[in-house]
Amino acid sequence: MHSTKIKEGDDREEMELNQIWRGCRKIQGAIFRYNLDICADIKQHDPCCTGFVSEPIFTAVLGKYRKVAGMSESELRDVTDYFQIRDGRVAYRQFCKVVCSETLHKAAKTDLATGLEWNDPWHVNVIPHPEDRRRLCLILMKIAQATHIPLMPYFQDYELIAQNVGVVTVSHFSRVLHFMKIPLSEQDFLLLLRRYMKDGYLVNYVAFLKHIDNIMAYLGDNHLLDNSHDIIKNFPGRLVDLELSQLPPINGCQLVHPIFPDACNYPKKNRNQCDIVFCIQNYVYKNQVRTSEFLASYDTLNLGSITKNQFERGLSNMGVGKYLSQRELGILLDRYTDPVDINRVRWRNFVDEIDSVFTIKNLDKMPQCVVESPPRHIQELPRPGAVDWQTVPANIRDLCEDAMAKIRIRIRNRRLYLHPFFRSYDKLNSGHVRCNIAKQIFRTNGILLTDQEQDAVLSRYGNELGFCYTKFLDDVDPAEYAMPAMVTKQELVECPPFARDNLDPEDPSEEVIVRILTSCKRQALVKSVSVIEFMTDYDRHREGEIMESDFKRALDNSSVIVTEEEAKILCNIFRSPRRSACIRYRDFCKALDEVFIQLDTSMGDEVITAVPLLHLPNLDCVDCFLSFDERTICSQALMKLARKPDEISNLSQVFKDFDREQCGSITQNQFLRGLTVRQMHEMLSSREFQAICKCFGVKKGLCMEFNYREFLKILDVLFTTGQMKRNY
C-alpha cells in the first residue's frame, strides 16, 4: 500500500513537471520568433538586483506575452508556482536561465531542462528507413498534384482560435485533408504523422506546407506538374498506391472498404449525368435531406440562380460533395448552368429534379396520379460491394438457379417461414446478416446445398453489409402466407369482375349506378365523414356547383375511393345542365346523407323533417356461418347447458370478471375457463364446444371472440321454455 502511494505521487509530480516544461517551451518559441526580451522587463521591477520579484509583478509581465506565446492561464499559474519561494516572491533569475539560456546550470536542473531546445518552426522527425522515405516522397507528390489552391488559410483559421504557433491537432489536420478531397490510406496518414508530429499530439503544418510548396515549385519550373501522375506511375521504387485495393471475398461475399464510402454504386470513372443524379437522389432519399434549405440561403434576391462556388458549398453542406470528384462536379455544373449567365447555376432546376425522388411537382393538379416513392430505378440501385450478376460466368448463374429451385421446393413442401430466423440475427433491422449465419439458417431448416451452390447464392445476394436476406426471400419465397402484405384501400373497394366488365361511363345501367352509390354510402358510413365539407371549399360563390376536377379531388380527400370509370359515371349523373364542365355536388351529398337521415314529408311538402337513422353494425361474418350438421350439434349442446342457466350456475359473474372492458365478448379460452369453474365443461364434447364458439363468435380485429351475453340470453330462453313444457 505504501509503495503504491509513493508511485502515484511520483506519477503526479512527473505530470506537473511536463506541464511546466510545455509552458516554458511556448515562452521559448515566442522569444525565438518575435525577439522578445522578457527578462529585461522583469529586471525593471528589481532595482536592487536581488533576483526576486513579487508574484503579482511576475504574473503581470508574463500576462502581456501569454497570448503571443499561446499559453493558457493554467500553464501560466503552474510556471509561477514552480519558481515561487516560501516567502511568496518569484525567483525570476532562475526562470530567465531556463528560458533564455539552454546550457546554463544544466546539471542542477536535469529534471526540468531535459529535452529543452529552441523551438524550431521547421521541426520534422527523422524517417530512418529508405523505403519509408521513398514512400513519403510519393505521398507528398500525390498531395501536391491534388491541391490546386493554397492550404495555409485552412490551418491559420484554426491557429487564430486555438492560439497555437505553427501547429494544429491531428484531428484538424485530418479534416483539412478530407475537405480538400485528398484520399489517403491509414498507413499513408500514419507515415505523414511520423514525419511531422510534434510534442506527441500536434502536427507541424508549417514544415508540411513548405515541403509541398517546394515540390510544386520544382515541378512547375521543370513543367512536370501536369505529368506528375506518370512520374508516380513509372517510378521504379514505388511501394504504395494511394488508392486502396478491393478486399478478397469472405464466405462468398465480396466486401469493399473505401476510405470515404460512396453513396451510390456506379463505377466512378464512367459515371455520366444520369448516374450522378441517381447517386444524389439515393443519398437524399436515404438521409431525408431537404435540398432547398441548403441552397436557398445563397439566393438572397430570389433569382433562382447562384454562383458555382456557392453551389459547390451547398453540396458540401448537404453531405454530397464528398461523394463527387472534380470531373463529376463539373458535369453537374454543366447540366444546370444558367443560359443567361454561364458563371451561375440554376439551383431550382436542380432541386426540382432531386426532389422528384419524394413526390411529383404540381401534384395538386393531378388528383388521380399515383406517385411511387422512391422510383423504381432508385430502389433497384445495387448496394456497395454487390457483384454485377450479368457479368458472372454462365456456369455460376446456372448453379445458382439450381440452388434457388431446390430452396423453393423445400419451402413449398415444408411450408417454411424463414423470416423470423433471419430477423433474430438482424438486430439493426438492416435487411442483412452475416454469410456464415445464412449458411447456419439453411442447415437449421434442412436446406441442404453443396459448397458450390452456397457460394453461388451468397455471391448473388452478398454485398459489403453481408447477405441481403430481404431480396433473397422476395425471390425465393413469394408466397402470401410467408410474406403477408397490407391490403390497399383500392383493393378494399374493388368491385367484382362481372360488375367491372359492365362499366360504361357513357351509358351506365341502373344496377351499376345503384352499386356505385351504395359503395360511396358504405364508405361514408364506415369512415363517418361529411363529404359536403370537402366539396364546399371549392364552391366560393355557393352556387352548388364545382368543377369536375375539383369534384374528383374532393372525393379523394374525403377518403371515398372510387375508380376512374366510376368517377366518370358519377360526374355524368350529377352534371349541371347549365354548365357542362361543372357538377352539382349538393345533389350528390343529399344522396349520400340518406344513410344518416331520412326526410319525412308526411305533414306536407312545406314541412320537411329530417329523422336521424340509427346505424347498427352487422356482427355476422363468414367465419360464423354454420352448416346443417353444425346447427344440429349446437342446438343439442345448448339444450344440455340449459339445465344450468345463469340463475343456477351464475355464469354471468365469471364472464364479467374476464370482460374488464365490459364490451360483451371474451376469448374462447376464457369461455372454456368459465365453464370449467362451474363444472359445466364435462357436459360438452370438443365438437359441441367448437360449434357453440362458432355460433356465438364475434370478429374483433384479427381475432375471433365469444359473445357471452347472447349466449346467456339463449340459455335463459331455453330454460324457461323447458319449464313451461314440463308444466304443461
Side-chain angles (χ1 to χ4, degrees):
M1 180 69 69
H2 182 66
S3 61
T4 304
K5 291 183 179 180
I6 294 176
K7 185 176 181 180
E8 291 178 355
D10 295 340
D11 294 340
R12 192 180 300 109
E13 183 179 357
E14 183 179 357
M15 187 180 301
E16 293 176 356
L17 290 177
N18 290 334
Q19 294 178 358
I20 297 169
W21 170 75
R22 188 179 297 110
C24 294
R25 285 285 304 274
K26 291 183 178 180
I27 297 174
Q28 281 184 338
I31 293 174
F32 180 80
R33 279 189 176 85
Y34 303 105
N35 196 17
L36 303 176
D37 195 357
I38 300 177
C39 297
D41 292 346
I42 300 177
K43 286 181 181 179
Q44 293 177 1
H45 301 281
D46 185 18
C48 299
C49 298
T50 59
F52 301 96
V53 293
S54 62
E55 180 184 359
I57 294 176
F58 184 80
T59 305
V61 173
L62 288 186
K64 295 191 302 182
Y65 305 100
R66 183 177 66 84
K67 292 186 177 181
V68 178
M71 295 178 61
S72 62
E73 294 183 357
S74 61
E75 292 175 343
L76 178 61
R77 187 167 53 253
D78 292 339
V79 172
T80 304
D81 294 341
Y82 184 80
F83 291 100
Q84 189 176 7
I85 59 179
R86 293 183 178 180
D87 59 358
R89 294 181 299 170
V90 179
Y92 72 89
R93 284 189 178 178
Q94 300 296 329
F95 169 76
C96 293
K97 289 179 182 179
V98 172
V99 300
C100 299
S101 178
E102 182 182 0
T103 59
L104 190 60
H105 297 288
K106 185 174 181 180
K109 297 291 181 180
T110 55
D111 56 342
L112 181 63
T114 299
L116 287 181
E117 67 271 359
W118 295 108
N119 195 357
D120 186 9
W122 318 115
H123 169 75
V124 291
N125 301 318
V126 179
I127 304 298
H129 300 291
E131 294 83 0
D132 293 342
R133 289 197 296 268
R134 288 196 297 268
R135 179 179 170 186
L136 180 63
C137 292
L138 291 173
I139 296 172
L140 294 176
M141 187 175 292
K142 190 75 173 182
I143 295 174
Q145 177 194 2
T147 55
H148 304 285
I149 58 177
L151 297 176
M152 180 65 74
Y154 297 96
F155 293 105
Q156 287 181 339
D157 293 342
Y158 178 82
E159 183 178 345
L160 294 176
I161 298 174
Q163 297 181 356
N164 291 329
V165 182
V167 291
V168 294
T169 61
V170 176
S171 59
H172 184 71
F173 184 73
S174 175
R175 283 195 297 268
V176 172
L177 295 181
H178 173 59
F179 180 78
M180 296 304 297
K181 299 179 181 179
I182 301 175
L184 291 178
S185 63
E186 184 178 357
Q187 294 79 6
D188 299 336
F189 185 72
L190 292 177
L191 185 59
L192 283 179
L193 294 182
R194 285 174 54 192
R195 179 64 172 174
Y196 300 103
M197 184 69 75
K198 188 176 183 180
D199 294 340
Y201 68 102
L202 299 174
V203 179
N204 189 355
Y205 73 89
V206 178
F208 170 72
L209 296 180
K210 180 183 177 182
H211 293 169
I212 296 296
D213 294 339
N214 293 339
I215 293 175
M216 295 181 66
Y218 173 76
L219 296 177
D221 294 341
N222 294 276
H223 305 285
L224 297 175
L225 187 59
D226 296 334
N227 300 326
S228 58
H229 180 72
D230 297 334
I231 295 175
I232 296 175
K233 183 177 180 180
N234 300 323
F235 190 76
R238 182 168 66 99
L239 295 176
V240 66
D241 189 2
L242 297 183
E243 297 179 357
L244 290 179
S245 59
Q246 214 174 32
L247 296 177
I250 301 176
N251 291 333
C253 292
Q254 189 70 22
L255 303 179
V256 177
H257 182 64
I259 303 173
F260 306 120
D262 197 358
C264 57
N265 317 303
Y266 292 98
K268 280 200 167 186
K269 296 182 180 179
N270 302 322
R271 284 201 293 196
N272 52 21
Q273 289 185 357
C274 295
D275 298 338
I276 298 172
V277 172
F278 293 164
C279 167
I280 300 176
Q281 286 181 340
N282 187 26
Y283 174 83
V284 168
Y285 181 79
K286 287 182 178 179
N287 297 276
Q288 299 294 306
V289 179
R290 294 184 179 180
T291 314
S292 59
E293 294 184 358
F294 294 91
L295 299 175
S297 59
Y298 298 110
D299 190 9
T300 56
L301 301 179
N302 199 18
L303 299 176
S305 62
I306 57 178
T307 63
K308 293 184 178 181
N309 292 334
Q310 291 173 344
F311 183 75
E312 184 178 358
R313 197 177 305 127
L315 291 180
S316 299
N317 295 335
M318 197 187 308
V320 184
K322 59 184 178 181
Y323 301 126
L324 301 177
S325 62
Q326 292 294 331
R327 169 188 166 276
E328 294 165 353
L329 184 61
I331 294 175
L332 201 63
L333 293 175
D334 294 339
R335 181 181 178 88
Y336 301 103
T337 300
D338 191 353
V340 179
D341 187 358
I342 60 174
N343 294 323
R344 302 179 70 86
V345 179
R346 304 284 295 180
W347 67 271
R348 287 183 180 172
N349 297 347
F350 170 77
V351 170
D352 292 341
E353 187 170 6
I354 297 301
D355 288 346
S356 63
V357 72
F358 297 107
T359 184
I360 300 176
K361 194 176 181 181
N362 299 325
L363 187 61
D364 54 341
K365 300 179 181 179
M366 299 176 289
Q368 302 296 329
C369 180
V370 179
V371 180
E372 184 181 11
S373 179
R376 180 62 58 182
H377 62 273
I378 299 298
Q379 296 179 7
E380 296 178 353
L381 281 178
R383 287 190 172 272
V387 179
D388 188 3
W389 194 244
Q390 302 300 326
T391 61
V392 176
N395 57 345
I396 298 180
R397 283 187 289 178
D398 295 340
L399 195 63
C400 180
E401 293 299 331
D402 296 340
M404 298 287 286
K406 292 181 181 179
I407 298 174
R408 291 191 187 97
I409 294 173
R410 183 69 179 180
I411 291 176
R412 184 174 62 252
N413 294 342
R414 296 292 181 178
R415 299 187 66 85
L416 299 177
Y417 189 30
L418 299 180
H419 287 72
F421 293 93
F422 286 103
R423 282 199 295 264
S424 61
Y425 292 99
D426 187 14
K427 303 299 182 183
L428 301 179
N429 198 20
S430 62
H432 293 76
V433 296
R434 290 186 300 176
C435 296
N436 56 347
I437 297 297
K439 293 182 179 180
Q440 179 180 344
I441 293 174
F442 291 160
R443 291 192 298 268
T444 303
N445 291 273
I447 301 175
L448 304 179
L449 302 175
T450 62
D451 294 340
Q452 292 80 8
E453 291 174 342
Q454 285 184 354
D455 295 340
V457 173
L458 294 178
S459 62
R460 179 175 180 177
Y461 297 99
N463 51 59
E464 68 173 6
L465 298 180
F467 181 75
C468 184
Y469 68 87
T470 55
K471 186 177 179 182
F472 167 75
L473 293 177
D474 290 341
D475 296 339
V476 80
D477 190 12
E480 295 181 357
Y481 70 90
M483 299 181 63
M486 296 297 294
V487 180
T488 61
K489 296 181 180 179
Q490 190 70 23
E491 295 175 355
L492 289 175
V493 300
E494 189 174 5
C495 59
F498 67 90
R500 183 174 296 276
D501 296 338
N502 298 328
L503 289 181
D504 187 5
E506 301 299 333
D507 188 15
S509 61
E510 183 178 357
E511 180 183 357
V512 172
I513 297 174
V514 172
R515 183 183 57 78
I516 295 174
L517 290 176
T518 304
S519 175
C520 296
K521 291 178 182 180
R522 181 176 60 82
Q523 295 184 57
L525 177 63
V526 172
K527 300 174 183 177
S528 299
V529 294
S530 179
V531 182
I532 194 171
E533 295 180 359
F534 294 90
M535 294 189 176
T536 308
D537 297 338
Y538 299 102
D539 187 11
R540 297 183 179 179
H541 303 288
R542 297 299 184 265
E543 298 176 348
E545 299 176 354
I546 58 176
M547 299 293 294
E548 182 177 351
S549 59
D550 295 336
F551 179 77
K552 295 179 181 179
R553 188 178 297 112
L555 282 179
D556 185 66
N557 294 337
S558 61
S559 300
V560 177
I561 302 174
V562 293
T563 61
E564 184 67 25
E565 293 80 4
E566 294 172 347
K568 290 181 180 179
I569 293 175
L570 290 176
C571 292
N572 293 334
I573 295 172
F574 298 98
R575 193 175 300 277
S576 175
R578 296 181 299 173
R579 288 175 287 186
S580 60
C582 295
I583 308 299
R584 295 180 298 178
Y585 71 93
R586 288 181 181 174
D587 296 343
F588 173 75
C589 294
K590 287 180 181 178
L592 294 185
D593 289 340
E594 293 177 357
V595 183
F596 302 100
I597 60 176
Q598 183 178 3
L599 300 179
D600 185 9
T601 59
S602 60
M603 301 179 65
D605 296 337
E606 297 179 356
V607 181
I608 300 176
T609 306
V611 180
L613 299 179
L614 179 62
H615 173 66
L616 298 176
N618 186 11
L619 300 179
D620 295 336
C621 59
V622 179
D623 298 334
C624 300
F625 178 77
L626 297 177
S627 63
F628 177 77
D629 296 336
E630 290 175 339
R631 288 198 298 270
T632 303
I633 296 174
C634 182
S635 61
Q636 294 175 358
L638 291 175
M639 293 298 294
K640 295 179 183 179
L641 295 176
R643 301 171 187 171
K644 294 183 179 180
D646 188 31
E647 298 177 359
I648 300 175
S649 61
N650 197 15
L651 271 174
S652 60
Q653 295 300 324
V654 180
F655 292 151
K656 286 180 181 179
D657 293 339
F658 291 124
D659 187 14
R660 297 181 180 180
E661 292 82 8
Q662 300 297 323
C663 60
S665 62
I666 57 178
T667 63
Q668 295 182 7
N669 187 20
Q670 292 172 345
F671 172 62
L672 179 60
R673 290 167 59 187
L675 294 179
T676 306
V677 170
R678 298 306 182 195
Q679 300 295 327
M680 297 174 63
H681 67 288
E682 301 174 352
M683 305 168 63
L684 300 175
S685 64
S686 60
R687 292 184 62 188
E688 292 173 342
F689 176 78
Q690 294 295 333
I692 292 176
C693 291
K694 192 173 182 180
C695 179
F696 297 95
V698 178
K699 195 69 177 262
K700 293 292 185 68
L702 298 177
C703 302
M704 184 68 70
E705 295 189 357
F706 183 80
N707 190 353
Y708 68 90
R709 291 178 180 174
E710 296 294 332
F711 171 74
L712 295 176
K713 289 180 182 179
I714 294 296
L715 291 186
D716 292 339
V717 171
L718 293 176
F719 178 74
T720 305
T721 305
Q723 280 187 343
M724 293 175 64
K725 288 182 179 180
R726 284 193 293 270
N727 293 334
Y728 284 111

